[in-house]
């Protein structure tokens, strides 16, 4: 009997992407994938662990950059 890996939560991408001011088109262009791929990921309909992880990492990096920009703008 095998143990399947734990599913990755995909409830985070959409709110993070929206808060960062990113469109799904811009995110797809940066990640070199289709908007449908990201839409499926955001909707929890993707089993592609690599793409889910790549998307979450991209959003985390973008969110950090946005937070840094906002803190500099407040100075």
């Amino acid at each position: 009997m095998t143990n399947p890996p734990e599913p990755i939560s995909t409830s985070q991408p959409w709110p993070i992407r929206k808060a960062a001011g990113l469109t799904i088109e811009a995110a797809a262009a940066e990640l070199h994938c289709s908007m449908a791929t990201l839409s499926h990921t955001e909707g929890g309909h993707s089993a592609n662990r690599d793409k889910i992880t790549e998307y979450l990492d991209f959003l985390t990096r973008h969110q950090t950059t946005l937070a840094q920009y906002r803190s500099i703008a407040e100075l």
Side-chain angles (χ1 to χ4, degrees), residues 12-31:
Q12 304 168 26
W14 184 81
I16 295 171
R17 180 177 58 76
K18 294 301 274 186
L22 280 172
T23 63
I24 199 163
E25 294 90 350
E30 286 286 324
L31 294 170

Side-chain angles (χ1 to χ4, degrees), residues 2-72:
T2 62
N3 293 323
E6 288 291 321
I8 298 173
S9 172
T10 57
S11 62
Q12 304 168 26
W14 184 81
I16 295 171
R17 180 177 58 76
K18 294 301 274 186
L22 280 172
T23 63
I24 199 163
E25 294 90 350
E30 286 286 324
L31 294 170
H32 307 287
C33 66
S34 71
M35 292 183 298
T37 297
L38 296 186
S39 180
H40 283 96
T41 300
E42 288 182 350
H45 303 290
S46 176
N48 185 336
R49 295 179 66 81
D50 292 338
K51 186 52 74 178
I52 294 168
T53 302
E54 178 185 13
Y55 189 31
L56 292 174
D57 289 348
F58 165 77
L59 291 174
T60 299
R61 286 191 312 274
H62 196 80
Q63 187 178 30
T64 301
T65 302
L66 182 63
Q68 290 169 341
Y69 170 78
R70 286 181 177 156
S71 68
I72 291 169

